[in-house]
Coordinates of all heavy atoms in Angstrom, one line a residue:
V283 N 0.9 -1.2 0.0 CA 0.0 0.0 0.0 C 0.9 1.2 0.0 O 1.8 1.3 0.8 CB -0.9 0.0 1.2 CG1 -1.7 1.3 1.3 CG2 -1.8 -1.2 1.2
V284 N 0.7 2.1 -0.9 CA 1.4 3.4 -1.0 C 0.5 4.5 -0.5 O -0.6 4.7 -1.0 CB 1.9 3.7 -2.4 CG1 2.6 5.0 -2.5 CG2 2.9 2.6 -2.9
V285 N 1.0 5.2 0.5 CA 0.2 6.3 1.0 C 1.0 7.6 0.8 O 2.2 7.7 1.1 CB 0.0 6.1 2.5 CG1 -0.8 7.3 3.1 CG2 -0.8 4.9 2.8
K286 N 0.3 8.6 0.2 CA 1.0 9.9 0.0 C 1.3 10.6 1.3 O 0.5 10.8 2.2 CB 0.0 10.8 -0.8 CG 0.6 12.2 -1.0 CD 1.0 12.5 -2.4 CE 1.4 13.9 -2.6 NZ 2.8 14.1 -2.6
A287 N 2.6 10.9 1.5 CA 3.1 11.5 2.8 C 2.7 13.0 2.7 O 2.7 13.6 1.7 CB 4.6 11.3 2.9
E288 N 2.4 13.5 3.9 CA 2.2 15.0 4.0 C 3.5 15.7 3.7 O 4.5 15.3 4.2 CB 1.7 15.3 5.4 CG 1.2 16.7 5.6 CD 0.5 16.9 6.9 OE1 -0.2 16.0 7.4 OE2 0.8 17.9 7.5
T289 N 3.4 16.8 2.9 CA 4.6 17.5 2.6 C 4.6 18.9 3.2 O 3.6 19.4 3.5 CB 4.8 17.6 1.1 OG1 3.6 18.3 0.6 CG2 4.9 16.3 0.4
G290 N 5.8 19.4 3.3 CA 5.9 20.8 3.7 C 5.7 21.1 5.2 O 5.6 22.3 5.6
G291 N 5.6 20.1 6.0 CA 5.4 20.4 7.4 C 6.6 21.1 8.0 O 7.7 21.0 7.5
V292 N 6.4 21.8 9.2 CA 7.4 22.5 9.8 C 8.6 21.6 10.2 O 9.8 22.1 10.1 CB 6.9 23.2 11.1 CG1 8.0 23.9 11.9 CG2 5.8 24.2 10.7
N293 N 8.4 20.4 10.6 CA 9.4 19.5 11.0 C 9.9 18.6 9.9 O 10.7 17.6 10.2 CB 9.0 18.7 12.2 CG 8.7 19.6 13.4 OD1 9.4 20.5 13.6 ND2 7.6 19.3 14.1
S294 N 9.5 18.8 8.6 CA 9.9 17.9 7.5 C 11.4 18.1 7.2 O 11.8 19.2 7.0 CB 9.0 18.2 6.3 OG 9.5 17.5 5.2
I295 N 12.1 17.0 7.1 CA 13.5 17.1 6.7 C 13.7 16.8 5.2 O 14.7 17.1 4.6 CB 14.3 16.1 7.6 CG1 15.8 16.3 7.4 CG2 14.0 14.6 7.2 CD1 16.6 15.6 8.4
N296 N 12.7 16.1 4.6 CA 12.8 15.7 3.2 C 12.0 16.7 2.4 O 10.8 16.7 2.5 CB 12.2 14.3 3.1 CG 12.2 13.8 1.7 OD1 12.7 14.4 0.8 ND2 11.5 12.7 1.5
P297 N 12.7 17.5 1.5 CA 11.9 18.5 0.8 C 11.1 17.9 -0.4 O 10.0 18.4 -0.7 CB 13.0 19.4 0.2 CG 14.2 18.6 0.2 CD 14.1 17.6 1.3
D298 N 11.6 16.8 -1.1 CA 10.9 16.4 -2.2 C 11.2 15.0 -2.7 O 10.9 14.6 -3.9 CB 11.0 17.4 -3.4 CG 12.4 17.6 -3.8 OD1 13.3 16.9 -3.4 OD2 12.6 18.6 -4.6
I299 N 11.9 14.2 -2.0 CA 12.4 12.9 -2.5 C 11.3 11.8 -2.2 O 10.9 11.6 -1.0 CB 13.7 12.5 -1.8 CG1 14.8 13.4 -2.3 CG2 14.0 11.0 -2.1 CD1 16.1 13.2 -1.6
R300 N 10.8 11.2 -3.2 CA 9.9 10.0 -3.2 C 8.7 10.3 -2.2 O 8.4 9.5 -1.3 CB 10.7 8.8 -2.8 CG 11.6 8.4 -4.0 CD 12.7 7.5 -3.7 NE 12.5 6.4 -2.8 CZ 13.4 5.6 -2.4 NH1 14.7 5.8 -2.7 NH2 13.1 4.6 -1.6
K301 N 8.1 11.5 -2.3 CA 7.0 11.8 -1.3 C 5.8 11.0 -1.5 O 4.9 11.1 -0.6 CB 6.7 13.3 -1.5 CG 7.7 14.3 -1.0 CD 7.8 14.1 0.5 CE 8.5 15.3 1.2 NZ 8.5 15.2 2.6
N302 N 5.7 10.1 -2.5 CA 4.5 9.3 -2.7 C 4.7 8.0 -1.8 O 3.7 7.2 -1.7 CB 4.4 8.9 -4.1 CG 5.5 8.1 -4.7 OD1 6.7 8.3 -4.2 ND2 5.3 7.2 -5.6
E303 N 5.8 7.8 -1.1 CA 6.0 6.7 -0.2 C 5.7 7.1 1.2 O 6.1 8.2 1.6 CB 7.4 6.2 -0.4 CG 7.7 5.7 -1.8 CD 9.2 5.3 -2.0 OE1 9.8 4.8 -1.0 OE2 9.7 5.4 -3.1
E304 N 5.1 6.2 1.9 CA 4.8 6.5 3.4 C 6.1 6.6 4.1 O 6.3 7.4 5.0 CB 4.0 5.3 4.0 CG 3.6 5.6 5.4 CD 2.7 4.5 5.9 OE1 3.1 3.4 6.1 OE2 1.5 4.8 6.1
K305 N 7.2 5.8 3.8 CA 8.5 5.8 4.5 C 9.5 5.5 3.4 O 9.4 4.5 2.7 CB 8.5 4.8 5.6 CG 9.8 4.9 6.4 CD 9.8 3.8 7.5 CE 8.8 3.9 8.5 NZ 8.8 2.8 9.5
V306 N 10.6 6.3 3.3 CA 11.6 6.0 2.3 C 12.7 5.1 3.0 O 13.3 5.5 3.9 CB 12.3 7.3 1.9 CG1 13.4 7.0 0.9 CG2 11.2 8.3 1.3
V307 N 12.7 3.9 2.5 CA 13.7 2.9 3.0 C 14.4 2.3 1.9 O 13.8 1.9 0.8 CB 12.9 1.8 3.8 CG1 13.9 0.7 4.3 CG2 12.1 2.4 5.0
D308 N 15.7 2.1 2.0 CA 16.6 1.5 1.0 C 17.4 0.5 1.7 O 17.9 0.6 2.8 CB 17.5 2.6 0.3 CG 16.6 3.6 -0.4 OD1 16.0 3.3 -1.4 OD2 16.6 4.8 0.1
S309 N 17.7 -0.6 0.9 CA 18.7 -1.6 1.4 C 19.7 -1.9 0.4 O 19.4 -1.8 -0.8 CB 18.0 -2.9 1.8 OG 17.4 -3.5 0.7
V310 N 20.9 -2.2 0.8 CA 22.1 -2.4 -0.1 C 22.8 -3.6 0.4 O 23.1 -3.8 1.6 CB 23.0 -1.1 -0.1 CG1 24.2 -1.4 -0.9 CG2 22.2 0.1 -0.5
L311 N 23.2 -4.4 -0.6 CA 24.1 -5.5 -0.3 C 25.5 -5.0 -0.5 O 25.9 -4.7 -1.6 CB 23.8 -6.7 -1.2 CG 22.5 -7.4 -1.0 CD1 22.2 -8.5 -2.0 CD2 22.4 -8.0 0.4
V312 N 26.3 -4.9 0.6 CA 27.6 -4.3 0.6 C 28.5 -5.0 -0.4 O 29.3 -4.4 -1.2 CB 28.3 -4.3 2.0 CG1 29.7 -3.8 1.9 CG2 27.5 -3.4 2.9
N313 N 28.4 -6.4 -0.5 CA 29.3 -7.1 -1.4 C 28.9 -6.9 -2.9 O 29.7 -7.3 -3.8 CB 29.4 -8.6 -1.1 CG 28.0 -9.2 -1.2 OD1 27.0 -8.6 -1.4 ND2 28.0 -10.6 -1.1
E314 N 27.8 -6.2 -3.2 CA 27.4 -5.9 -4.6 C 27.7 -4.5 -5.0 O 27.4 -4.1 -6.1 CB 26.0 -6.3 -4.8 CG 25.7 -7.8 -4.7 CD 24.2 -8.1 -5.0 OE1 23.4 -7.2 -5.3 OE2 23.9 -9.3 -4.9
L315 N 28.3 -3.7 -4.1 CA 28.7 -2.4 -4.4 C 29.7 -2.4 -5.5 O 30.7 -3.2 -5.5 CB 29.2 -1.6 -3.2 CG 28.2 -1.3 -2.1 CD1 28.9 -0.7 -0.9 CD2 27.1 -0.4 -2.6
S316 N 29.6 -1.5 -6.5 CA 30.5 -1.5 -7.6 C 31.9 -0.8 -7.3 O 32.9 -1.1 -8.0 CB 29.9 -0.8 -8.9 OG 29.5 0.5 -8.6
K317 N 31.8 0.1 -6.3 CA 33.0 0.8 -6.0 C 33.5 0.5 -4.6 O 32.7 0.1 -3.7 CB 32.8 2.4 -6.1 CG 32.4 2.8 -7.4 CD 32.2 4.3 -7.5 CE 30.9 4.7 -6.7 NZ 30.5 6.1 -6.8
P318 N 34.8 0.6 -4.3 CA 35.3 0.3 -2.9 C 34.7 1.3 -1.9 O 34.6 0.9 -0.7 CB 36.8 0.4 -3.0 CG 37.1 1.2 -4.2 CD 35.9 1.0 -5.2
L319 N 34.3 2.5 -2.2 CA 33.8 3.5 -1.3 C 32.6 4.2 -2.0 O 32.7 4.8 -3.0 CB 34.8 4.5 -1.0 CG 34.5 5.6 0.0 CD1 34.3 4.9 1.4 CD2 35.6 6.6 0.1
T320 N 31.4 4.0 -1.3 CA 30.2 4.6 -1.9 C 29.5 5.5 -0.9 O 29.3 5.2 0.2 CB 29.2 3.4 -2.2 OG1 29.8 2.5 -3.1 CG2 27.9 4.0 -2.9
P321 N 29.3 6.8 -1.4 CA 28.7 7.8 -0.5 C 27.2 7.8 -0.6 O 26.6 7.8 -1.7 CB 29.3 9.1 -1.0 CG 29.5 8.9 -2.4 CD 29.8 7.4 -2.6
Y322 N 26.5 7.7 0.6 CA 25.1 7.7 0.7 C 24.6 9.0 1.3 O 25.1 9.5 2.3 CB 24.5 6.5 1.4 CG 24.6 5.2 0.6 CD1 25.7 4.5 0.6 CD2 23.5 4.9 -0.2 CE1 25.8 3.3 -0.2 CE2 23.6 3.7 -1.0 CZ 24.8 3.0 -1.0 OH 24.8 1.9 -1.8
C323 N 23.6 9.6 0.7 CA 23.0 10.9 1.1 C 22.4 10.8 2.4 O 21.6 10.0 2.7 CB 22.0 11.4 0.0 SG 21.3 13.0 0.4
R324 N 22.7 11.9 3.3 CA 22.0 12.0 4.5 C 21.4 13.4 4.6 O 20.8 13.8 5.7 CB 23.0 11.8 5.7 CG 23.5 10.4 5.8 CD 24.2 10.1 7.1 NE 25.4 11.0 7.2 CZ 26.2 11.0 8.2 NH1 25.9 10.2 9.3 NH2 27.2 11.7 8.3
C325 N 21.5 14.2 3.5 CA 20.9 15.6 3.6 C 19.6 15.7 2.9 O 18.9 16.7 3.0 CB 21.9 16.6 3.0 SG 21.9 16.5 1.2
W326 N 19.1 14.7 2.2 CA 17.9 14.6 1.5 C 17.8 15.7 0.4 O 16.7 16.1 0.1 CB 16.7 14.8 2.5 CG 16.6 13.6 3.4 CD1 17.2 13.4 4.6 CD2 15.8 12.4 3.2 NE1 16.9 12.2 5.2 CE2 16.0 11.6 4.3 CE3 14.9 12.0 2.2 CZ2 15.4 10.4 4.4 CZ3 14.3 10.8 2.3 CH2 14.5 10.0 3.4
R327 N 18.9 16.0 -0.2 CA 18.9 17.0 -1.3 C 19.5 16.4 -2.6 O 19.5 17.0 -3.6 CB 19.7 18.2 -0.9 CG 19.2 19.3 0.0 CD 18.0 19.1 0.7 NE 17.5 20.1 1.5 CZ 17.0 19.9 2.7 NH1 17.0 18.7 3.2 NH2 16.4 20.9 3.4
S328 N 20.0 15.1 -2.5 CA 20.6 14.5 -3.7 C 19.7 14.3 -4.8 O 18.6 13.7 -4.6 CB 21.3 13.2 -3.2 OG 21.9 12.6 -4.4
G329 N 20.1 14.6 -6.0 CA 19.3 14.2 -7.2 C 19.5 12.7 -7.6 O 18.8 12.3 -8.5
T330 N 20.4 12.0 -6.9 CA 20.6 10.6 -7.1 C 20.3 9.8 -5.9 O 20.9 8.7 -5.7 CB 22.1 10.4 -7.6 OG1 23.0 10.8 -6.6 CG2 22.3 11.0 -8.9
F331 N 19.5 10.3 -5.0 CA 19.2 9.6 -3.7 C 18.8 8.2 -4.0 O 18.1 7.9 -4.9 CB 18.0 10.4 -3.1 CG 17.8 10.0 -1.6 CD1 18.4 10.6 -0.6 CD2 16.9 8.9 -1.3 CE1 18.2 10.3 0.7 CE2 16.7 8.5 0.0 CZ 17.4 9.2 1.0
P332 N 19.3 7.3 -3.2 CA 20.0 7.4 -1.9 C 21.5 7.7 -2.0 O 22.1 7.8 -1.0 CB 19.7 6.1 -1.2 CG 19.7 5.1 -2.3 CD 19.1 5.8 -3.5
L333 N 22.0 7.8 -3.2 CA 23.4 8.1 -3.3 C 23.7 9.6 -3.2 O 22.8 10.4 -3.6 CB 24.0 7.6 -4.7 CG 23.9 6.1 -4.9 CD1 24.4 5.8 -6.3 CD2 24.7 5.3 -3.9
C334 N 24.8 10.0 -2.6 CA 25.2 11.4 -2.5 C 25.7 11.9 -3.9 O 26.4 11.2 -4.6 CB 26.3 11.5 -1.5 SG 27.1 13.1 -1.5
D335 N 25.2 13.1 -4.3 CA 25.7 13.7 -5.5 C 26.4 15.0 -5.2 O 26.7 15.8 -6.2 CB 24.6 13.9 -6.5 CG 23.6 15.0 -6.1 OD1 23.7 15.5 -5.0 OD2 22.7 15.3 -6.9
G336 N 26.7 15.3 -4.0 CA 27.4 16.5 -3.6 C 26.5 17.7 -3.3 O 26.9 18.8 -3.0
S337 N 25.2 17.5 -3.4 CA 24.2 18.6 -3.1 C 24.3 19.1 -1.7 O 23.9 20.2 -1.4 CB 22.8 18.1 -3.4 OG 22.6 17.8 -4.8
H338 N 24.9 18.3 -0.8 CA 25.0 18.8 0.6 C 25.9 20.0 0.7 O 25.7 20.8 1.6 CB 25.5 17.7 1.5 CG 26.9 17.1 1.1 ND1 27.0 16.1 0.2 CD2 28.1 17.6 1.4 CE1 28.3 15.9 0.0 NE2 29.0 16.8 0.7
V339 N 26.8 20.2 -0.2 CA 27.7 21.4 -0.2 C 26.9 22.6 -0.4 O 27.0 23.6 0.4 CB 28.8 21.3 -1.3 CG1 29.6 22.5 -1.3 CG2 29.7 20.0 -1.1
K340 N 26.0 22.7 -1.4 CA 25.1 23.8 -1.6 C 24.2 24.0 -0.4 O 24.0 25.2 0.0 CB 24.3 23.6 -2.9 CG 23.4 24.7 -3.3 CD 22.6 24.4 -4.6 CE 21.6 25.5 -4.9 NZ 20.8 25.1 -6.1
H341 N 23.6 23.0 0.1 CA 22.7 23.1 1.2 C 23.4 23.7 2.4 O 22.9 24.6 3.1 CB 22.2 21.7 1.6 CG 21.5 21.6 2.9 ND1 20.2 22.1 3.1 CD2 21.9 21.1 4.1 CE1 19.9 22.0 4.4 NE2 20.9 21.3 5.0
N342 N 24.6 23.2 2.7 CA 25.4 23.7 3.8 C 25.7 25.2 3.7 O 25.7 25.9 4.7 CB 26.7 22.9 4.0 CG 26.4 21.5 4.6 OD1 25.3 21.2 5.1 ND2 27.4 20.6 4.5
K343 N 26.1 25.6 2.5 CA 26.4 27.0 2.3 C 25.2 27.9 2.4 O 25.3 29.0 3.0 CB 27.0 27.2 0.8 CG 28.5 26.7 0.7 CD 29.0 27.0 -0.6 CE 30.5 26.5 -0.7 NZ 31.0 26.6 -2.1
A344 N 24.1 27.4 2.0 CA 22.8 28.2 2.0 C 22.2 28.3 3.5 O 21.6 29.3 3.8 CB 21.8 27.6 1.1
T345 N 22.5 27.2 4.3 CA 21.8 27.2 5.6 C 22.7 27.3 6.8 O 22.3 27.4 7.9 CB 21.0 25.9 5.7 OG1 22.0 24.8 5.7 CG2 20.0 25.7 4.6
G346 N 24.0 27.1 6.5 CA 25.0 27.0 7.7 C 25.0 25.6 8.3 O 25.6 25.5 9.4
D347 N 24.3 24.7 7.7 CA 24.2 23.3 8.2 C 25.6 22.6 8.0 O 26.5 23.2 7.4 CB 23.1 22.5 7.5 CG 22.5 21.5 8.4 OD1 23.0 21.1 9.4 OD2 21.4 21.1 8.0
N348 N 25.8 21.4 8.5 CA 27.0 20.7 8.4 C 26.9 19.3 8.0 O 27.7 18.4 8.4 CB 27.8 20.8 9.7 CG 27.1 20.1 10.9 OD1 25.9 19.7 10.7 ND2 27.8 19.9 12.0
V349 N 25.9 19.0 7.2 CA 25.6 17.6 6.9 C 26.5 17.1 5.8 O 27.0 17.8 5.0 CB 24.1 17.4 6.5 CG1 23.2 17.7 7.6 CG2 23.8 18.3 5.3
G350 N 26.7 15.8 5.8 CA 27.5 15.1 4.7 C 27.1 13.7 4.6 O 26.2 13.2 5.3
P351 N 27.7 12.9 3.6 CA 27.2 11.6 3.3 C 27.7 10.5 4.3 O 28.6 10.8 5.1 CB 27.9 11.3 2.0 CG 29.1 12.2 2.0 CD 28.8 13.4 2.8
L352 N 27.1 9.4 4.3 CA 27.5 8.2 4.9 C 28.4 7.5 3.9 O 27.9 7.2 2.8 CB 26.3 7.3 5.3 CG 26.7 5.9 5.7 CD1 27.5 5.8 7.0 CD2 25.4 5.0 5.8
L353 N 29.6 7.2 4.3 CA 30.6 6.5 3.3 C 30.6 5.0 3.7 O 30.9 4.6 4.8 CB 32.0 7.1 3.5 CG 32.1 8.6 3.2 CD1 33.5 9.0 3.4 CD2 31.7 8.9 1.8
V354 N 30.2 4.2 2.7 CA 30.1 2.7 2.9 C 31.3 2.1 2.2 O 31.4 2.3 1.0 CB 28.8 2.1 2.5 CG1 28.8 0.6 2.6 CG2 27.6 2.8 3.2
K355 N 32.2 1.4 2.9 CA 33.3 0.8 2.4 C 33.1 -0.7 2.1 O 32.5 -1.4 2.9 CB 34.5 0.9 3.3 CG 35.0 2.3 3.5 CD 36.2 2.4 4.4 CE 36.6 3.8 4.7 NZ 37.7 3.9 5.6
K356 N 33.5 -1.1 0.9 CA 33.3 -2.5 0.5 C 34.4 -3.4 1.1 O 35.5 -3.0 1.2 CB 33.4 -2.6 -1.0 CG 33.0 -3.9 -1.6 CD 33.0 -3.8 -3.1 CE 32.6 -5.1 -3.7 NZ 32.5 -5.0 -5.2
Ligands
FES442 FE1 23.1 14.5 0.5 FE2 25.7 14.5 -0.2 S1 24.0 15.0 -1.4 S2 24.8 14.0 1.7

């Protein structure tokens, strides 16, 4: 069952990623990663979510925040 999540709430951390899902959950098999080091987004601004595309840099400059990716090593 897919339930449209409420958007734009005061406490919302996710601006627009997969808002048609009740909860955004991803799973990864580490031994199937193609690279020895894979960055995963924790800022919810990546255009390649769940992978980091560097969008956290722009977000941090605009807001003074200090978020960055989770680095998963193979
Ligand atoms: Fe979100 Fe890098 S783009 S942590």
Side-chain angles (χ1 to χ4, degrees):
V283 175
V284 175
V285 177
K286 174 107 174 105
E288 190 172 320
T289 60
V292 173
N293 296 318
S294 177
I295 193 169
N296 176 8
D298 57 12
I299 293 173
R300 293 159 44 186
K301 286 295 198 176
N302 61 330
E303 299 176 29
E304 183 175 69
K305 183 185 298 182
V306 179
V307 176
D308 298 290
S309 63
V310 176
L311 294 174
V312 172
N313 61 351
E314 292 183 1
L315 292 174
S316 60
K317 299 181 288 186
L319 186 64
T320 304
Y322 283 87
C323 178
R324 295 191 298 180
C325 76
W326 292 88
R327 284 6 185 226
S328 177
T330 59
F331 194 90
L333 299 176
C334 170
D335 69 356
S337 294
H338 59 270
V339 175
K340 180 180 176 185
H341 167 76
N342 287 344
K343 283 183 181 172
T345 65
D347 213 341
N348 64 348
V349 296
L352 166 68
L353 302 176
V354 178
K355 294 180 182 178
K356 188 173 181 179

